[in-house]
Amino acid sequence: MKFSTENDLNELLNSLIIPYKERVPDVYRIINGMLEKGMISKEEDIINDHIAFRTLGLPYLGITSLEKIFLHYGYEKRDYYFFPEKKLNAFWYSHPENKYPRIFISELRVSDLSQNAQKIIQKYTKNINSDPVDNIDFKNVSEVSDFFTSALWELPTLDDYQSLLEESEYAAWVIYNRYYLNHFTISIHDLPEDYNRLEKFNDFLKSIEIKLNNSGGEIKESRDGLLKQSSSVAGKVRANFLGSEVIEIPGSYVEFAQRLVLPEFSDLPLSKIKKDHRRDGFETGNADKIFESTYESQQLK
């Protein structure tokens, strides 16, 4: 039985964004820049296209665990995606109420990693022998939101983090950051005419010194040409490892998406265009490159 209400979902989504904004200074820089340019009159004018989470594909963890939270709040499971090179699975989720952002959850195919990497991950997750989401009281929104920043395993050692980093930067990110919100996404097509194209918005981002992920080009475009995405490069966060070792590692980032109108609705006037008239879902090729927003190769460029 679902106990959620609209207020519960609003509260949960807001609670996820608050710590995310504190970890990602680029968010404030972008919002302030948008205000100065008159793209928005207040922060609440920004439409959030989707939010994303990274997980480990292990028993009691991964997509089948984390999705329970969003399914409880009324989300519906949609398409599956597979990323062979990065060894990832993913699904996205939509809510019947169009005002809510899409959810994108990915998981690392741990069994596809080397024995050494699997051994490191198992070292931290071996004591998880039941689904931690099943222990959450969904009627208590604060408890649900706290889960995303709670430690499911002990802090990794710096040696273990760096060993994982050599094989899978995704694995290293998750073993330290856990379920922290990986990114939120500004809906570019909902902005005023001067900035509702991703090319123009990217120019604005560069003018306020936001570093863009250039893997596959600054703009990643779907095969049908109807979904364009770009993203900032994740800034560094101070990371405290087991044994009191401290270094800076990639945190979270900001994504930007432009969803074009579907061909069958191209004759509709702009004032009549709704969310349902635009390209929905995601694109494997785009997402594959967006994942690299936390990669060292982007940090160092």
Side-chain angles (χ1 to χ4, degrees):
M1 179 179 179
K2 290 184 172 65
F3 297 93
S4 60
T5 66
E6 182 173 313
N7 285 340
D8 288 341
L9 181 52
N10 288 333
E11 183 181 343
L12 174 61
L13 293 173
N14 287 336
S15 73
L16 296 174
I17 292 292
I18 290 170
Y20 162 80
K21 289 196 296 187
E22 293 301 322
R23 300 181 91 228
V24 189
D26 279 352
V27 176
Y28 290 108
R29 188 187 302 179
I30 293 166
I31 291 172
N32 290 335
M34 293 174 73
L35 288 166
E36 289 174 9
K37 292 288 187 181
M39 295 183 221
I40 54 174
S41 59
K42 57 186 183 303
E43 181 179 338
E44 291 73 21
D45 292 340
I46 294 173
I47 304 299
N48 184 356
D49 181 89
H50 69 272
I51 57 176
F53 301 89
R54 296 181 176 185
T55 71
L56 298 174
L58 291 169
Y60 313 119
L61 295 171
I63 292 171
T64 57
S65 169
L66 194 62
E67 71 177 6
K68 291 178 184 178
I69 294 173
F70 297 103
L71 294 175
H72 171 84
Y73 285 94
Y75 276 87
E76 299 169 354
K77 196 169 190 174
R78 302 293 294 275
D79 304 311
Y80 166 74
Y81 303 95
F82 172 49
F83 304 88
E85 183 180 338
K86 292 180 171 63
K87 301 179 174 64
L88 306 175
N89 297 321
F91 280 94
W92 75 279
Y93 305 77
S94 64
H95 198 280
E97 295 288 336
N98 277 340
K99 64 183 178 179
Y100 292 112
R102 301 164 185 83
I103 307 292
F104 188 91
I105 305 177
S106 58
E107 69 178 11
L108 179 66
R109 296 163 62 101
V110 176
S111 61
D112 289 352
L113 300 179
S114 69
Q115 287 299 311
N116 182 59
Q118 290 186 54
K119 184 177 178 181
I120 292 171
I121 292 171
Q122 291 290 347
K123 172 182 173 181
Y124 295 98
T125 60
K126 63 184 178 183
N127 293 325
I128 300 175
N129 47 33
S130 64
D131 190 334
V133 170
D134 291 342
N135 298 321
I136 300 173
D137 179 3
F138 286 137
K139 292 178 286 184
N140 186 333
V141 180
S142 294
E143 186 176 325
V144 179
S145 63
D146 287 346
F147 173 77
F148 288 89
T149 54
S150 297
L152 295 178
W153 49 80
E154 68 177 359
L155 279 175
T157 65
L158 182 56
D159 282 347
D160 285 342
Y161 173 85
Q162 291 177 331
S163 292
L164 288 177
L165 194 66
E166 291 177 6
E167 182 173 342
S168 168
E169 296 193 50
Y170 183 107
W173 195 94
V174 178
I175 207 69
Y176 186 84
N177 291 286
R178 305 184 304 276
Y179 289 161
Y180 269 111
L181 183 61
N182 181 254
H183 65 267
F184 101 115
T185 307
I186 295 175
S187 177
I188 301 306
H189 53 267
D190 288 310
L191 295 175
E193 188 172 349
D194 287 347
Y195 294 97
N196 64 1
R197 292 183 302 106
L198 197 51
E199 294 84 354
K200 182 71 173 180
F201 194 81
N202 279 357
D203 288 341
F204 154 72
L205 292 170
K206 287 183 280 190
S207 77
I208 59 171
E209 300 183 342
I210 298 296
K211 183 187 292 187
L212 295 178
N213 170 348
N214 64 3
S215 178
E218 288 182 353
I219 294 178
K220 296 81 167 96
E221 187 170 325
S222 60
R223 287 169 294 178
D224 60 13
L226 298 177
L227 174 61
K228 298 181 179 182
Q229 295 166 274
S230 61
S231 59
S232 68
V233 174
K236 293 292 187 75
V237 296
R238 182 181 172 87
N240 298 281
F241 290 89
L242 194 67
S244 301
E245 292 182 277
V246 180
I247 65 168
E248 289 193 332
I249 67 171
S252 301
Y253 58 94
V254 187
E255 189 182 318
F256 318 96
Q258 180 185 353
R259 297 180 182 273
L260 280 71
V261 176
L262 295 167
E264 58 266 37
F265 302 117
S266 60
D267 291 336
L268 284 177
L270 185 60
S271 61
K272 299 291 186 181
I273 298 295
K274 307 296 183 186
K275 186 175 182 179
D276 293 340
H277 299 138
R278 295 184 181 275
R279 209 278 200 182
D280 208 356
F282 295 86
E283 180 85 6
T284 303
N286 288 16
D288 185 81
K289 301 304 182 185
I290 294 289
F291 280 124
E292 297 180 23
S293 297
T294 59
Y295 280 25
E296 290 289 330
S297 59
Q298 293 295 314
Q299 298 277 329
L300 299 173
K301 70 179 179 66

